[in-house]
Amino acid sequence: MPTVPELAEWLKVKRGEEADLTTYRLERSLDAQRGVGMPAAGGVFYGERWREAFSGMTDGVLVDEPGIEPAALAADAQFVRARRKDAWFSLPAPHMLGFRDAYIGDEEEFSETIATAYARLAREMRDQGVQGHVLVADTADPIELEVLAGKKILFFPRNPGTFDLELLLEYQGDLILPAKDLDRAVDLMERFRVRKLILLAPEAEDLAAAVAFTDPDMLEVGGYCEEGCPDYWKRLVDRAFIAR
């Protein structure tokens, strides 16, 4: 979150543009990822903007016919793409928004309705040039995975220690693990068709250990930062190589 002087300085160069605090945080999240090959603007905070794109809701409760209002998201997509044409967006998975049902009357149908609306909103943003979406998730929800997982929507398990990675890999070909949990990758890659192994914040020795059992073309470095991000991403890029 910015200080008042920081925000005031930023607004000086935004005269004539429509911008708010979410716009500021999107830009800062993207600026921090200089040098990252697949940057993802946003984060968990972007869930607030996403919530506002659902119609039929009152205080997070579905009380009327569900729908979407994607105009603000489309504007964010245009804003981000103007700065990085290769940018993705990051936001919370559906179960993290805390939506409740007082209209449909069936839990599974309600979950599918929300997930389908997510897919439609994601499509609206991709139509504006966004490359894809990373959904930060606390749990592996089978309905969400069935409706949403694909090449353009990637589920990111925020806590792999408690996340059902086996269920995730039934729907998603990308295995995302903290470098400290690399030993779990061998078993999972033997049992599931893993297309890509993404190690979070690895050191050189972690990458060397990974290429001992996987093709280097399947290996990528990833990151997840909540605080102190400008230095975090630079350090990550600097050490994202395999020593030979």
Side-chain angles (χ1 to χ4, degrees), residues 8-61:
E9 283 299 312
W10 180 76
L11 286 172
K12 286 181 181 179
V13 300
K14 298 299 176 187
R15 288 173 180 167
E17 298 182 40
E18 189 170 330
D20 59 12
L21 184 57
T22 297
T23 313
Y24 173 90
R25 298 182 74 184
L26 283 173
E27 184 174 283
R28 288 295 182 261
S29 71
L30 195 60
D31 287 348
Q33 297 175 61
R34 289 191 179 94
V36 174
M38 194 189 90
V44 173
F45 75 85
Y46 196 64
E48 288 305 310
R49 180 86 95 209
W50 202 267
R51 285 170 62 94
E52 295 168 358
F54 285 77
S55 59
M57 294 278 186
T58 299
D59 297 328
V61 180

Side-chain angles (χ1 to χ4, degrees), residues 9 16 76 115 132 160 183 190 195 207 221:
E9 283 299 312
D76 289 339
D183 56 345
E190 286 178 350
R195 180 179 64 89
L207 296 174
V221 169

Side-chain angles (χ1 to χ4, degrees), residues 153-205:
I153 297 182
L154 177 69
F155 279 81
F156 177 92
R158 187 156 61 166
N159 186 352
T162 58
F163 198 93
D164 189 345
L165 293 175
E166 288 83 358
L167 178 58
L168 176 63
L169 290 175
E170 290 181 10
Y171 296 91
Q172 176 171 294
D174 291 358
L175 172 59
I176 305 171
L177 282 175
K180 64 181 179 62
D181 294 331
L182 179 60
D183 56 345
R184 298 181 62 188
V186 177
D187 175 62
L188 290 168
M189 293 178 73
E190 286 178 350
R191 293 191 290 121
F192 296 92
R193 184 176 297 177
V194 174
R195 180 179 64 89
K196 188 186 301 178
L197 172 61
I198 303 173
L199 284 184
L200 301 179
E203 301 292 341
E205 56 268 26

Side-chain angles (χ1 to χ4, degrees), residues 5 19 61 73 75 93 110 114 120 132 166 170 172 209 216 225 233:
V61 180
L73 303 186
F110 173 67
I114 298 300
R120 291 171 59 200
E166 288 83 358
E170 290 181 10
Q172 176 171 294
C225 182
W233 293 107

